[in-house]
Amino acid sequence: MSEELIYTRPESLRERKTHYCPGCGHGIVHKLLAEVMDELGIREETIIIAPVGCSVLIYDYINADGIEAAHGRAPAVATGVKRVHPDKIVISYQGDGDLLAIGTGETIHAANRGENISVIFVNNAIYGMTGGQMAPTTMSDQITKTTPYGRNVQDVGYPIRACEMLNTLAAPVYIERTSIHDVKNIRKTKKAIKKALQNQMDGKGYSFVEVLSTCPTNWGVAPVKAAKWVETAMVPYYPLGVFREEKETV
Amino acid sequence: MHEEIIISGFGGQGVLLAGKLLCIAAMREGKHVSHIPSYGAEMRGGTAHCKVIISDEEISSPVIEHPTIVLALNAPSMHKFEPKMVEGGLMLYNSSLIQDKPSRSDIRVECVNANDISEAAGSLKAANMAALGYLLKVKPEIASMDALKEALDEAISARNKKHNPVNIKIMEAGYRS
Amino acid sequence: MSKSVLMKGNEVLAEAAIRAGCTHYFGYPITPQNEIPAYMSKEMPKRGGCFLQAESEIAAINMVFGASGAGARVMTSSSSPGLSLKQEGISYLAGAELPCVVVNMMRGGPGLGGIAGSQADYFQATRGGGNGDYRTIVLAPGNVQEIADLTVQAFDLADKYRMVVMILGDGYLGQMSEPVILPEPDVKPVPKPWAVSGAKGREPNKVMSLRLTPDDYLEKHNIHLQELYKKVEGEVTQSEAYMTDDADYLIVSYGTSSRIARKAVKMLRNEGVKVGLFRPVTLWPFPMKELHDLSKKVKKVLTVEMSAGQMLEDVNIAVNGVTEVDFLGKLGGALPEANEIVKIVKSYG
């Protein structure tokens, strides 16, 4: 009798019990990242920046060197690491509060410098770790712990579209928005992450992948419904696709 | 020898450079020196000054409360620092630009036509050099003229060194005036 | 021996840092320390280092965090309001035990304050403006030569103890030019097996300050930090005693104000008043024992600083009631005058 191993845990992913909630998108994105790291053979070259947010413990899952940044400062920490190790692969993995609220300045300026890093932005339209408060990407009328009557855009502003905003800058080489609400889009997300890392390996410059993701716990819905909500509520406002493929020449 | 010198003038008259040259010249002749510039918003337009101490002994404090020498390149500088001078101190003022005379009678007063000397020797911008030359004439114990000329070589960046010959000429003219 | 050159304090600091093996500098402009980033921007590219002007002081200190975590000798510099912004990063650096050098050329506050030199950030520097039970080593140079020497020392101390070392100067020291003999340190690379560099052939490294589980992880880490700080207290205290052997009165002062105090000591000695100067060079750890021992021998201690009485608290702790402690403080960038100090000390007699 012979057995054929057809599926296994990527080497870049540690064997560990997850702390993420059922239906959370982080587990999927972590696994995609780990698969891509294996495929590109860069596990031992990679330094991952852990942000403040639910994915602060990403270094407990990704089997590579990890350094934890203060809230919002991941792009600055990534810059410091990359300037010391220009030949290593530096990944800044961030959530929406981290990347677009407290860390907006760091996000824009790292992109504008064209730091040769890869940013993976997991947008689930809410603060997860602190218990479901409004994020800069929270949808209009969405109910959160701090928008109990729904997000009133007249009062607290509109959800920010990160890809579109960064696409106004000259330096980035690659900007794409993907989603993980179904298998087809999960596959596209993996391709996007791979391209972002390949760009860095090739020394091309700053790559940004926004992944629309789920937070069933804080949204107060079941996982299947959460995936549906990404598709029906988020995707129409946050259109999927490639925004930038080559460096703009100015 | 211990002199506490304030060099003061309009921003752009080169008072900081003058102070630095004096320090380097004296330092190369074995003196202890210190130099503190005024800095910030007053760098352009208003009065800029520097505090220079040159001493045979180690300098405790680089801060000057009561100068022994004031080199005033414009009128506001003379009026500002005259009241603070020690009794018997030297007020050297730029008579090309200052019509008034110092009012105190307990200080030594000297004047130099710094701008006129500079202009006559070929530059509109080197009144500071003329004044330095004159200062070393009346206070030779601070530094020698040779040391001052050499200081110019040490202090000026390569791209501005082309002005050194005319600056030296103006220093010498100030010294002789 | 090298020839002495006339250089500004700020430029000396930058040059000494490069000579001490600082390969990365991140900063943001603020007066009166702008000569440091300017010097770095000119020299670093020529000497194989990295200069980067960050988008804010917060970004700069977090770039320092990244570069230090990646194993580099790294520095940032700023002045008082900028240091307030860097406090977050300093706390994280302390939490993750990352070495680096942080420079504060103090100016008057609170708020935007002014640009004249001041010593009003003593509390912030020695008590820490960030969250948590942490310490930073604080070095206070008193002249331009000492700026050079302490800068070299700062990098060594930072790497030795894996701590943030702060150089606490002020606007006057940064702007002042004095003759200096630039140090030529023998820089040996310090092994940093904990740094992130890609986990090639080893277990991955984690550089972090979050310590959630097990329940006593954070407590144990804090106990470890406090043991480290105790060790530092025993090993790195520095101070200078000037004319204190037969002194009846003792002036305690650091940095720029100690220069003026030194002048006052000379003036008083010329008049036959037996007075000495005690100058802490490390503000944390504060030279408690040295000052305590000296204070036992004098009739009175006068603390002189350019603040409303911040170092005064450490002086009182050190003196611990064995003699009376008096205070002269200047506010908002004003300087004490030597004559003023002379008058106060003479009034004791």
Side-chain angles (χ1 to χ4, degrees), chain A residues 2-249:
Chain A
S2 72
E3 284 180 29
E4 196 193 346
L5 190 63
I6 55 164
Y7 184 80
T8 182
R9 179 176 47 81
E11 200 198 346
S12 297
L13 198 64
R14 288 172 196 267
E15 193 166 1
R16 195 183 192 281
K17 204 174 141 190
T18 183
H19 80 289
Y20 293 116
C21 306
C24 169
H26 278 307
I28 295 170
V29 183
H30 283 21
K31 182 155 165 272
L32 296 179
L33 174 60
E35 284 176 359
V36 168
M37 284 167 64
D38 274 15
E39 287 166 22
L40 295 172
I42 56 170
R43 187 187 74 79
E44 293 183 325
E45 309 297 324
T46 294
I47 299 161
I48 190 147
I49 318 295
V52 169
C54 285
S55 52
V56 62
L57 297 172
I58 191 167
Y59 43 68
D60 283 344
Y61 300 102
I62 300 296
N63 189 18
D65 272 8
I67 178 166
E68 177 192 278
H71 200 16
R73 317 299 173 220
V77 173
T79 299
V81 172
K82 189 71 183 185
R83 297 287 174 134
V84 175
H85 296 304
D87 53 338
K88 303 293 177 196
I89 303 303
V90 178
I91 302 165
S92 184
Y93 185 106
Q94 300 178 257
D96 38 48
D98 194 74
L99 185 133
L100 270 182
I102 194 167
T104 315
E106 285 80 357
T107 295
I108 289 174
H109 285 277
N112 193 48
R113 285 190 298 269
E115 293 292 340
N116 186 27
I117 59 173
S118 311
V119 178
I120 299 172
F121 168 38
V122 177
N123 175 5
N124 59 11
I126 205 157
Y127 282 64
M129 192 196 212
T130 47
Q133 295 83 3
M134 181 187 75
T137 53
T138 289
M139 303 300 294
S140 179
D141 295 328
Q142 186 182 338
I143 290 172
T144 71
K145 282 272 163 60
T146 51
T147 55
Y149 311 110
R151 179 177 186 153
N152 176 1
V153 295
Q154 301 303 325
D155 187 37
V156 297
Y158 291 82
I160 301 174
R161 296 179 175 111
C163 291
E164 289 83 342
M165 188 172 73
L166 293 179
N167 199 29
T168 64
L169 303 173
V173 292
Y174 175 52
I175 300 170
E176 178 166 1
R177 183 182 289 122
T178 66
S179 173
I180 51 154
H181 67 269
D182 61 20
V183 174
K184 189 181 93 192
N185 281 288
I186 290 172
R187 289 206 175 115
K188 277 190 178 169
T189 299
K190 182 175 171 181
K191 260 180 76 186
I193 292 172
K194 194 167 188 175
K195 187 169 167 77
L197 295 183
Q198 187 66 54
N199 281 345
Q200 187 178 167
M201 292 167 74
D202 297 343
K204 284 187 177 166
Y206 182 89
S207 297
F208 183 86
V209 179
E210 174 176 349
V211 183
L212 301 185
S213 185
T214 51
C215 184
T217 299
N218 286 302
W219 292 353
V221 296
V224 175
K225 215 175 153 193
K228 198 79 202 155
W229 194 75
V230 171
E231 186 185 5
T232 55
M234 290 180 72
V235 171
Y237 186 83
Y238 297 113
L240 307 180
V242 176
F243 291 82
R244 174 78 60 90
E245 272 204 278
E246 284 306 324
K247 198 167 184 167
E248 196 174 272
T249 44

Side-chain angles (χ1 to χ4, degrees), chain B residues 136-153:
Chain B
L136 292 194
K137 181 170 94 171
V138 296
K139 287 277 183 184
E141 62 274 26
I142 293 175
S144 70
M145 275 298 279
D146 285 344
L148 185 67
K149 289 181 219 165
E150 280 165 30
L152 204 56
D153 215 45

Side-chain angles (χ1 to χ4, degrees), chain C residues 49-195:
Chain C
C50 166
F51 163 84
L52 186 61
Q53 180 171 325
E55 59 271 27
S56 68
E57 281 97 347
I58 297 172
I61 192 73
N62 284 287
M63 290 171 185
V64 167
F65 185 98
S68 175
R73 277 200 158 178
V74 55
M75 181 171 93
T76 185
S77 65
S78 191
S79 180
S80 307
L83 257 292
S84 299
L85 288 166
K86 289 188 197 290
Q87 294 305 320
E88 173 196 71
I90 293 172
S91 170
Y92 279 71
L93 285 153
E97 287 187 86
L98 294 182
C100 71
V101 175
V102 174
V103 179
N104 182 2
M105 288 297 176
M106 290 182 280
R107 54 188 260 182
L112 211 43
I115 57 167
S118 163
Q119 297 179 325
D121 300 346
Y122 183 95
F123 282 158
Q124 188 193 55
T126 61
R127 271 62 174 167
N131 61 300
D133 265 328
Y134 73 91
R135 291 289 191 181
T136 56
I137 296 172
V138 183
L139 306 177
N143 57 51
V144 173
Q145 183 64 53
E146 213 172 58
I147 288 178
D149 300 338
L150 289 180
T151 300
V152 173
Q153 225 185 83
F155 283 96
D156 290 338
L157 288 171
D159 280 345
K160 183 174 177 189
Y161 297 106
R162 290 184 60 181
M163 280 179 72
V164 176
V165 178
M166 184 176 290
I167 299 173
L168 192 68
D170 65 64
Y172 297 105
L173 271 171
Q175 294 298 322
M176 185 190 299
S177 295
E178 288 182 316
V180 60
I181 294 167
L182 291 166
E184 284 165 12
D186 180 20
V187 180
K188 293 190 187 77
V190 179
K192 297 181 178 177
W194 44 264

